[in-house]
Amino acid sequence: MVEAALAVGAERGFPPLAVAVIDVAGEVITLRRSDGGMPMTSRIAVAKARSALIALKPSGQIDLPSGIIESIQHLYHGDFVPWAGGILVTDGDVILGAAGASGAHAVEDEQAVQVAMERWQAHRSHE
């Protein structure tokens, strides 16, 4: 899935991405940053994935008042980023974890992981 998201970014001409996949406990399964990517994008990719998992929805759809966001950021030690780029990884209705990307514009980050998940799900359905 990480390789697929990085490929989507390259195919679409996005800046170098960092992509993370986490399990349902929020622990990193895999994290990779493209050559030339900014070091901070790795941590942001993980935070976007964790944000989607915490909210049970894509991180870009989190719409809360700033005071609540600040409280959640404090509670999770800054690992809460309510911007597009984090999605839930599912198998049917079952949440398996989440994926996040950072390095391009937020909507591009989300496109990369969303397309990667769709490719991964299509591959799994043919196994």
Side-chain angles (χ1 to χ4, degrees):
M1 192 172 199
V2 168
E3 293 301 322
L6 294 173
V8 170
E11 290 164 10
R12 298 185 180 192
F14 298 166
L17 297 176
V19 179
V21 174
I22 63 171
D23 64 17
V24 292
E27 297 300 322
V28 175
I29 296 171
T30 187
L31 170 64
R32 182 156 174 244
R33 185 178 66 240
S34 296
D35 291 343
M38 293 181 288
M40 69 179 170
T41 60
S42 297
R43 184 161 181 177
I44 295 169
V46 172
K48 286 181 177 183
R50 286 183 176 147
S51 299
L53 190 61
I54 292 165
L56 298 176
K57 64 170 107 178
S59 58
Q61 293 179 12
I62 299 169
D63 185 22
L64 298 169
S66 62
I68 292 174
I69 288 174
E70 290 170 12
S71 296
I72 296 170
Q73 286 172 330
H74 178 75
L75 180 66
Y76 286 95
H77 307 285
D79 251 357
F80 184 77
V81 179
W83 299 307
I87 62 165
L88 295 173
V89 175
T90 59
D91 184 8
D93 292 336
V94 178
I95 297 170
L96 303 175
S102 180
H105 292 287
V107 293
E108 294 171 334
D109 294 340
E110 190 157 318
Q111 286 174 14
V113 289
Q114 185 64 46
V115 170
M117 184 179 67
E118 291 165 4
R119 290 178 183 177
W120 176 76
Q121 288 172 327
H123 176 73
R124 282 178 51 97
S125 70
H126 291 103
E127 289 183 343

